[in-house]
Amino acid sequence: MKVLVINCGSSSAKFELIDMTNEQSLAKGNCERIGIANPIFSYKNLLTGEKIDKMEVPMENHTVAVELILKTLQDEKIGVISSVDEIDSIGHRIVHGGEYYEKSVIVDDEVIKNLEEIAPLAPLHNPAHIMGIKVVQKLLPGKKNVVVFDTAFHQTMPGKAYMYPYPYEDYTDLKVRKYGFHGTSHRYVSEVAREMLGKEDSKIIVCHLGNGASISAVQNGKVVDTSMGMTPLAGVMMGTRTGDVDPASVIYIMRKRGLSLDEMNTRMNKQSGILGIFGESSDFRDLDTARREGNERAVLAYEMFCYRIQLYIGAYVAAMNGVDAIAFTGGIGENSVGAKQHICEALSYFGIELDKEKNEQRLPGNVELSTKNSKVKIYKIETAEELVIARDTYKLTKE
């Protein structure tokens, strides 16, 4: 059984085809800049290594993009299937499920209706996801579609964690609350960490660190708290996002600079974080290089990023009254030797000790990085969000 995983953004469509008989990824790629100038298509056959590297190709809308994906998957030279009949089902990544969904579900008319209703909670993401589902339904009629939510794994949070102290009617009328994101990654990584720990009764802190970053406290397989909020803007400092700030500072900046709501939203989501402080790039690799060269703003941005992660780890140790393991994942969490070391050095009070030599070896796969004397296990775990989506899709549609 083969599952096609689709992640549609407003101008993009990432995809991966996975054979669920052995969970082998067959091909993956990305359609970028759909409907705007200079659209780009990338593709890689993971069986042969053959690839299309950022080829410019007309893609005026998502229908054309998905048609290109299906055509390439069936291509005689670089394709991996002979016909779309080999695609058994399609799994869609959905950023926001609101309070409707605690788990993945098969798409039907009610699901579409609910997604459209909560679209204002994720205006940059959910409308694009809905469009992607409808395009796939049109091009692959009769195939079952499954939606897998970034928010679902976090729905186990208790009210004391997810509620905001606004007037209560803002929750009942507007559904203003913490939802959390990166749920598929937190779910996968925490499950792997539990297996590596070898105990079901566990307290795990997952640090998903990339251009977008979030922290979660997972106790006995269920989320106790997570750093992102009603939107992915909250929590730790990120590549271009502020993370947590004083809400009054937002009003102050808007008034002083004469900014509109949309302009301030752009400033907080796309011009802040590492980019805002460093000033040259939002890429952590560029930041790390500049830091080691002595760039003062790079040093400041680097220290701010690590410091805010340390604060959340400390808070989540308190939230769970202990911690058995800290798992690092995501582009920065998996690959940045310096960030892991910097973060862990300030956590020695909790008995957290990183094996610096092992950390610097950059070992592939899922690796324990704590010393023998560390009271808390430290893991580097490679996330697999597409596999989580494929697994849920297979489970719901295999019968």
PDB file of all heavy atoms in Angstrom, residues 278 284-295 298:
ATOM      1  N   PHE A 278      19.931  39.701  14.673  1.00  0.00           N
ATOM      2  CA  PHE A 278      21.176  39.526  13.910  1.00  0.00           C
ATOM      3  C   PHE A 278      21.245  40.520  12.746  1.00  0.00           C
ATOM      4  O   PHE A 278      22.274  41.135  12.478  1.00  0.00           O
ATOM      5  CB  PHE A 278      21.250  38.082  13.423  1.00  0.00           C
ATOM      6  CG  PHE A 278      22.432  37.734  12.565  1.00  0.00           C
ATOM      7  CD1 PHE A 278      23.667  38.354  12.722  1.00  0.00           C
ATOM      8  CD2 PHE A 278      22.304  36.748  11.580  1.00  0.00           C
ATOM      9  CE1 PHE A 278      24.753  38.006  11.915  1.00  0.00           C
ATOM     10  CE2 PHE A 278      23.374  36.396  10.775  1.00  0.00           C
ATOM     11  CZ  PHE A 278      24.598  37.038  10.942  1.00  0.00           C
ATOM     12  N   PHE A 284      20.126  29.705  10.962  1.00  0.00           N
ATOM     13  CA  PHE A 284      20.949  29.493  12.155  1.00  0.00           C
ATOM     14  C   PHE A 284      22.400  29.192  11.803  1.00  0.00           C
ATOM     15  O   PHE A 284      23.308  29.510  12.578  1.00  0.00           O
ATOM     16  CB  PHE A 284      20.366  28.349  12.992  1.00  0.00           C
ATOM     17  CG  PHE A 284      20.837  28.343  14.416  1.00  0.00           C
ATOM     18  CD1 PHE A 284      20.256  29.169  15.362  1.00  0.00           C
ATOM     19  CD2 PHE A 284      21.866  27.505  14.818  1.00  0.00           C
ATOM     20  CE1 PHE A 284      20.696  29.174  16.688  1.00  0.00           C
ATOM     21  CE2 PHE A 284      22.308  27.490  16.133  1.00  0.00           C
ATOM     22  CZ  PHE A 284      21.727  28.332  17.075  1.00  0.00           C
ATOM     23  N   ARG A 285      22.637  28.604  10.640  1.00  0.00           N
ATOM     24  CA  ARG A 285      24.010  28.323  10.221  1.00  0.00           C
ATOM     25  C   ARG A 285      24.777  29.615   9.972  1.00  0.00           C
ATOM     26  O   ARG A 285      25.953  29.738  10.352  1.00  0.00           O
ATOM     27  CB  ARG A 285      24.008  27.439   8.975  1.00  0.00           C
ATOM     28  CG  ARG A 285      23.497  26.028   9.227  1.00  0.00           C
ATOM     29  CD  ARG A 285      23.161  25.300   7.952  1.00  0.00           C
ATOM     30  NE  ARG A 285      22.034  25.907   7.246  1.00  0.00           N
ATOM     31  CZ  ARG A 285      21.426  25.390   6.195  1.00  0.00           C
ATOM     32  NH1 ARG A 285      21.852  24.236   5.702  1.00  0.00           N
ATOM     33  NH2 ARG A 285      20.411  26.003   5.622  1.00  0.00           N
ATOM     34  N   ASP A 286      24.111  30.589   9.345  1.00  0.00           N
ATOM     35  CA  ASP A 286      24.741  31.896   9.133  1.00  0.00           C
ATOM     36  C   ASP A 286      24.994  32.586  10.469  1.00  0.00           C
ATOM     37  O   ASP A 286      26.041  33.215  10.673  1.00  0.00           O
ATOM     38  CB  ASP A 286      23.848  32.780   8.260  1.00  0.00           C
ATOM     39  CG  ASP A 286      23.645  32.216   6.860  1.00  0.00           C
ATOM     40  OD1 ASP A 286      24.509  31.440   6.405  1.00  0.00           O
ATOM     41  OD2 ASP A 286      22.630  32.557   6.222  1.00  0.00           O
ATOM     42  N   LEU A 287      24.025  32.464  11.366  1.00  0.00           N
ATOM     43  CA  LEU A 287      24.161  33.067  12.691  1.00  0.00           C
ATOM     44  C   LEU A 287      25.349  32.474  13.437  1.00  0.00           C
ATOM     45  O   LEU A 287      26.158  33.200  14.025  1.00  0.00           O
ATOM     46  CB  LEU A 287      22.872  32.848  13.487  1.00  0.00           C
ATOM     47  CG  LEU A 287      22.890  33.325  14.937  1.00  0.00           C
ATOM     48  CD1 LEU A 287      22.842  34.844  14.992  1.00  0.00           C
ATOM     49  CD2 LEU A 287      21.738  32.723  15.733  1.00  0.00           C
ATOM     50  N   ASP A 288      25.470  31.146  13.397  1.00  0.00           N
ATOM     51  CA  ASP A 288      26.541  30.472  14.125  1.00  0.00           C
ATOM     52  C   ASP A 288      27.913  30.854  13.579  1.00  0.00           C
ATOM     53  O   ASP A 288      28.867  31.062  14.330  1.00  0.00           O
ATOM     54  CB  ASP A 288      26.319  28.961  14.049  1.00  0.00           C
ATOM     55  CG  ASP A 288      27.130  28.203  15.085  1.00  0.00           C
ATOM     56  OD1 ASP A 288      27.488  28.801  16.109  1.00  0.00           O
ATOM     57  OD2 ASP A 288      27.413  27.008  14.868  1.00  0.00           O
ATOM     58  N   THR A 289      28.007  30.956  12.250  1.00  0.00           N
ATOM     59  CA  THR A 289      29.271  31.363  11.635  1.00  0.00           C
ATOM     60  C   THR A 289      29.664  32.765  12.075  1.00  0.00           C
ATOM     61  O   THR A 289      30.811  33.017  12.468  1.00  0.00           O
ATOM     62  CB  THR A 289      29.161  31.319  10.099  1.00  0.00           C
ATOM     63  OG1 THR A 289      28.899  29.972   9.684  1.00  0.00           O
ATOM     64  CG2 THR A 289      30.450  31.796   9.445  1.00  0.00           C
ATOM     65  N   ALA A 290      28.705  33.688  12.030  1.00  0.00           N
ATOM     66  CA  ALA A 290      28.977  35.073  12.422  1.00  0.00           C
ATOM     67  C   ALA A 290      29.307  35.170  13.912  1.00  0.00           C
ATOM     68  O   ALA A 290      30.155  35.969  14.322  1.00  0.00           O
ATOM     69  CB  ALA A 290      27.770  35.951  12.090  1.00  0.00           C
ATOM     70  N   ARG A 291      28.650  34.352  14.717  1.00  0.00           N
ATOM     71  CA  ARG A 291      28.927  34.343  16.162  1.00  0.00           C
ATOM     72  C   ARG A 291      30.364  33.941  16.434  1.00  0.00           C
ATOM     73  O   ARG A 291      31.070  34.570  17.237  1.00  0.00           O
ATOM     74  CB  ARG A 291      27.970  33.373  16.858  1.00  0.00           C
ATOM     75  CG  ARG A 291      28.248  33.159  18.349  1.00  0.00           C
ATOM     76  CD  ARG A 291      27.383  32.059  18.920  1.00  0.00           C
ATOM     77  NE  ARG A 291      27.743  30.740  18.414  1.00  0.00           N
ATOM     78  CZ  ARG A 291      28.600  29.914  19.015  1.00  0.00           C
ATOM     79  NH1 ARG A 291      29.213  30.287  20.125  1.00  0.00           N
ATOM     80  NH2 ARG A 291      28.852  28.715  18.503  1.00  0.00           N
ATOM     81  N   ARG A 292      30.805  32.895  15.752  1.00  0.00           N
ATOM     82  CA  ARG A 292      32.174  32.420  15.967  1.00  0.00           C
ATOM     83  C   ARG A 292      33.205  33.393  15.423  1.00  0.00           C
ATOM     84  O   ARG A 292      34.371  33.358  15.837  1.00  0.00           O
ATOM     85  CB  ARG A 292      32.346  31.038  15.332  1.00  0.00           C
ATOM     86  CG  ARG A 292      31.646  29.942  16.149  1.00  0.00           C
ATOM     87  CD  ARG A 292      31.895  28.538  15.635  1.00  0.00           C
ATOM     88  NE  ARG A 292      30.947  28.168  14.589  1.00  0.00           N
ATOM     89  CZ  ARG A 292      31.229  28.070  13.309  1.00  0.00           C
ATOM     90  NH1 ARG A 292      32.474  28.319  12.892  1.00  0.00           N
ATOM     91  NH2 ARG A 292      30.317  27.729  12.420  1.00  0.00           N
ATOM     92  N   GLU A 293      32.780  34.265  14.533  1.00  0.00           N
ATOM     93  CA  GLU A 293      33.671  35.306  14.001  1.00  0.00           C
ATOM     94  C   GLU A 293      33.661  36.565  14.869  1.00  0.00           C
ATOM     95  O   GLU A 293      34.360  37.529  14.570  1.00  0.00           O
ATOM     96  CB  GLU A 293      33.260  35.656  12.569  1.00  0.00           C
ATOM     97  CG  GLU A 293      33.525  34.523  11.571  1.00  0.00           C
ATOM     98  CD  GLU A 293      32.963  34.825  10.200  1.00  0.00           C
ATOM     99  OE1 GLU A 293      32.213  35.825  10.055  1.00  0.00           O
ATOM    100  OE2 GLU A 293      33.268  34.068   9.254  1.00  0.00           O
ATOM    101  N   GLY A 294      32.838  36.559  15.918  1.00  0.00           N
ATOM    102  CA  GLY A 294      32.824  37.673  16.862  1.00  0.00           C
ATOM    103  C   GLY A 294      31.789  38.744  16.599  1.00  0.00           C
ATOM    104  O   GLY A 294      31.818  39.809  17.242  1.00  0.00           O
ATOM    105  N   ASN A 295      30.849  38.521  15.686  1.00  0.00           N
ATOM    106  CA  ASN A 295      29.793  39.493  15.411  1.00  0.00           C
ATOM    107  C   ASN A 295      28.928  39.650  16.665  1.00  0.00           C
ATOM    108  O   ASN A 295      28.294  38.701  17.113  1.00  0.00           O
ATOM    109  CB  ASN A 295      28.947  39.006  14.225  1.00  0.00           C
ATOM    110  CG  ASN A 295      27.860  39.982  13.818  1.00  0.00           C
ATOM    111  OD1 ASN A 295      27.042  40.378  14.629  1.00  0.00           O
ATOM    112  ND2 ASN A 295      27.857  40.346  12.546  1.00  0.00           N
ATOM    113  N   ALA A 298      25.260  38.838  16.368  1.00  0.00           N
ATOM    114  CA  ALA A 298      25.090  37.392  16.207  1.00  0.00           C
ATOM    115  C   ALA A 298      25.212  36.696  17.562  1.00  0.00           C
ATOM    116  O   ALA A 298      24.440  35.777  17.873  1.00  0.00           O
ATOM    117  CB  ALA A 298      26.126  36.843  15.233  1.00  0.00           C
TER     118      ALA A 298
END
